[in-house]
Structure formats: structure tokens, C-alpha cells
Amino acid sequence: MGRKRGRDIDGWLILDKPLGPTSTDMVNKLRWAFDAKKAGHGGTLDPLASGVLPIAFGKATRTIPYIMDATKRYRFTLTFGESRTTDDLEGEVLATSPNRPTDEQILAVLPALTGNVMQVPPVFSALRVGGERAYDMARAGRPPELPPRPARIDSITLVERPDADTAVFDVQSGKGVYMRSLARDIALACGTVGHISVLRRTKCGPFDLSHALTIDQISLDKSTQTVDNADALPAPLLDAATALVDIPALAVTDAEGRVLVWGQSIDPSDLVHPLPASSQGEDHLWRAMIGEHVLGLCHVRHGRLRAARMLENHEFFGEHDVDYRRTPHGTDF
């Protein structure tokens, strides 16, 4: 009798996404290859973009929001002289300009595009307008007028000028920043038009290209499976908690860990390893750990330490775990 399809596997696979397929295409392909029950990705890359695409399996999907919010790095090539409907090579030419900025002109406009700025997203984006995707409306000949949105751009570095028509940039940014919009805005600020011709993500949260595997490095051919290796993964996975390494650690005892896992709260002053007084604000996240093992994330809410998102449940503590929901101190540890 065959094994039921869909394995409980947990962890991150960092894919060096190739040009062409969508991020969802790659998640579906790898979910099938790993025979995984649950999978998702930590930040969309356009079909014409390559680079770091974190793919989460099982418990790791619980940490996707923290990867989506994480700092990212990109390298892109801006081609001057043509604006396009999609702000990249895929679109049709909208306008042309003979103007080609000098290095000095480019460097002069970058400070105004750095920091907390307002950015107009590309009309070919996945944003919803009245229940429809913006790119569906644009393809139907009804491109929406998208309002500017807050964006955080930490740094823009001019890396090189291969020729007068192109410039290569490194960018570090926060969540939801569109590189296609940034390239468009750099060109406009320089008195010309332009579009992205090459885009590559080099870092996404704690993951960078040193962690990434190409699709050719992942064993996708199931015809080579035998009885002896049927349960082997097509590629090794990083631990689910790897996504949280940038969040400060908080050592907790077994008893404190049980309380958090059960969804109960703790007075911070009762912790064996107390929180620093300067870090008890309600927007501060902690990575709750027993020894070297990560239980999940916690934060202070209404003056008490509570679970924000747990990777583990009560089964982690074994069959003899105490049900803290039924003990008097479960709500006032």
C-alpha cells in the first residue's frame, strides 16, 4: 500500500530563482518534488527577476511574515531612453528620450530617493484595486491609477556604468519596495526615462546567495527513487527557525516555555532571565529559546509576556506535559 501523499517536512529551501517562471510556479514545483503537505514563499520575485527566493515547508511557513518584513538587497541594471508599460523588459515601449545622464547627475538625485519615501507602484503589480489585480486590469486595457505608498529605501549605490545607456545599482530596502518603480523614478529624476533590464535579489532577511541552490542542484527526478531512498529529500533544508536569527534571543526555562506554548502569559518580572528594561516595549519581539532550541516568538502585550507565533506546541514537551490551561497559575505565572 503506497504512502499517503504529502509529507510533514519542516524547514527552508533557499532557491536561486531562474528567469522565466513565477515565484508561485517554483513553490508548486518544489512542493511536488519534496512531496510536502505545506509550502509557501517569503517574497515574490517577478518572472524577469532572479535570485534569492526563500521557500518554506511545514513549520517554516509560520515564519514567512518575518521574512516578508525583512530587509532585502537587490542589484539591477537601469536602461535609459525607453519607458515601458511594465517598467521592465517585458512591456511595450511607452516613451523615448535621447537624454543620457552623467554619473554626477545620477549621484545627485539618489539622496532624494533614499529613506522613507512615497512610491507609486507599477501598474503591472499584484496589488488589488476594487477586488481586481492591477496587472489583470492593465492587461485588459484598463490600467489603474495607483496612489503612492510609503516605502523605506535604506541605500542606493551606483555600482558601475557599462555604457551611456545603462547603470548598475545595489539597493537595500524594506518591505514592499518595487525595484521597477525605483528604476523608473531614478530615470525621471535625471530628466529622462528608463526601465529595469536586469534584476537580481541578492539577500532576503538572513538568507543570501551563499545559502541558495539552483534548480539544477535539486534532485527533481523521482524516477531515480528506490525503496532505500524514497524518504530522502531532494535537497537539504535549513531549520525552520533560521528565519528568526535576526530577532534577539530570550532564554526561557522549561516551565516558562510550557506557559508560552499553551498560550498563557508571564509577568516579565517573574522570568528567570529577565528582559532588559529598555526592551520591554510592546513592539519588541523575542526569540524564545530553551537551550539551543527555538520555541517561537514572544512579545509583551498589556504588561505581560505572551506568545506571538510559536513553532512548537505542547507535544514538544512530551507526554507528561502539564496542561497549563487547567492549573491555577496558568493564567498568572
Side-chain angles (χ1 to χ4, degrees):
M1 183 175 178
R3 176 171 49 80
K4 183 179 178 181
R5 181 161 181 76
R7 292 189 285 181
D8 287 314
I9 58 173
D10 304 308
W12 285 95
L13 175 75
I14 313 307
L15 178 68
D16 187 345
K17 185 187 103 53
L19 300 176
T22 67
S23 298
T24 300
D25 289 338
M26 300 314 300
V27 170
N28 291 337
K29 186 180 188 75
L30 291 168
R31 182 178 180 178
W32 174 84
F34 280 76
D35 192 17
K37 279 186 180 179
K38 192 172 185 180
H41 66 74
T44 301
L45 282 176
D46 295 330
L48 293 185
S50 67
V52 175
L53 179 64
I55 296 179
F57 296 100
K59 290 179 185 177
T61 59
R62 302 175 194 172
T63 66
I64 284 177
Y66 305 100
I67 293 299
M68 299 286 282
D69 289 346
T71 298
K72 300 171 180 65
R73 292 191 70 93
Y74 297 87
R75 175 166 289 202
F76 67 77
T77 299
L78 166 55
T79 296
F80 296 108
E82 289 183 348
S83 66
R84 304 227 175 179
T85 53
T86 57
D87 295 313
D88 64 15
L89 274 176
E90 189 178 25
E92 298 176 1
V93 176
L94 279 176
T96 61
S97 170
N99 296 335
R100 300 295 183 268
T102 65
D103 290 9
E104 290 72 24
Q105 288 173 316
I106 294 173
L107 292 172
V109 306
L110 298 184
L113 296 169
T114 306
N116 293 315
V117 299
M118 298 298 289
Q119 184 185 74
V120 177
V123 293
F124 280 81
S125 65
L127 294 176
R128 288 191 179 275
V129 180
E132 291 185 81
R133 296 287 189 188
Y135 55 65
D136 287 332
M137 298 174 69
R139 287 167 184 155
R142 299 179 289 111
E145 289 192 16
L146 298 174
R149 308 193 317 164
R152 191 194 87 228
I153 300 174
D154 300 323
S155 64
I156 311 171
T157 303
L158 175 62
V159 177
E160 60 176 322
R161 292 293 302 277
D163 50 53
D165 291 334
T166 57
V168 179
F169 297 89
D170 271 344
V171 177
Q172 178 170 299
S173 70
K175 176 185 178 182
V177 177
Y178 289 92
M179 293 300 114
R180 286 177 291 149
S181 292
L182 178 57
R184 174 200 66 205
D185 293 344
I186 292 173
L188 290 173
C190 289
T192 185
V193 292
H195 63 275
I196 274 187
S197 51
V198 180
L199 175 60
R200 185 160 173 79
R201 185 157 65 196
T202 58
K203 193 173 190 295
C204 185
F207 306 123
D208 59 31
L209 288 169
S210 70
H211 302 106
L213 300 175
T214 66
I215 200 69
D216 291 336
Q217 292 173 308
I218 301 168
S219 177
L220 302 180
D221 186 1
K222 292 193 175 184
S223 67
T224 62
Q225 287 184 341
T226 66
V227 173
D228 292 334
N229 69 5
D231 292 328
L233 296 179
L237 300 181
L238 299 175
D239 188 270
T242 309
L244 309 178
V245 295
D246 292 338
I247 297 173
L250 172 66
V252 298
T253 65
D254 281 6
E256 292 164 351
R258 289 187 179 99
V259 171
L260 293 171
V261 164
W262 277 117
Q264 305 305 310
S265 65
I266 305 172
D267 186 326
S269 64
D270 291 334
L271 290 168
V272 172
H273 303 283
L275 298 173
S278 61
S279 303
Q280 293 188 29
E282 301 222 340
D283 61 345
H284 197 93
L285 281 172
W286 293 93
R287 183 166 35 106
M289 301 185 66
I290 294 179
E292 297 298 316
H293 192 87
V294 178
L295 295 180
L297 297 177
C298 56
H299 54 194
V300 175
R301 286 291 181 270
H302 307 297
R304 297 183 68 83
L305 187 71
R306 306 171 188 271
R309 187 176 293 264
M310 289 287 116
L311 295 180
E312 301 294 354
N313 58 30
H314 65 279
E315 295 176 355
F316 170 77
F317 295 98
E319 296 179 359
H320 303 293
D321 186 23
V322 176
D323 187 344
Y324 277 80
R325 295 172 298 181
R326 302 190 181 190
T327 59
H329 62 286
T331 55
D332 189 22
F333 182 77

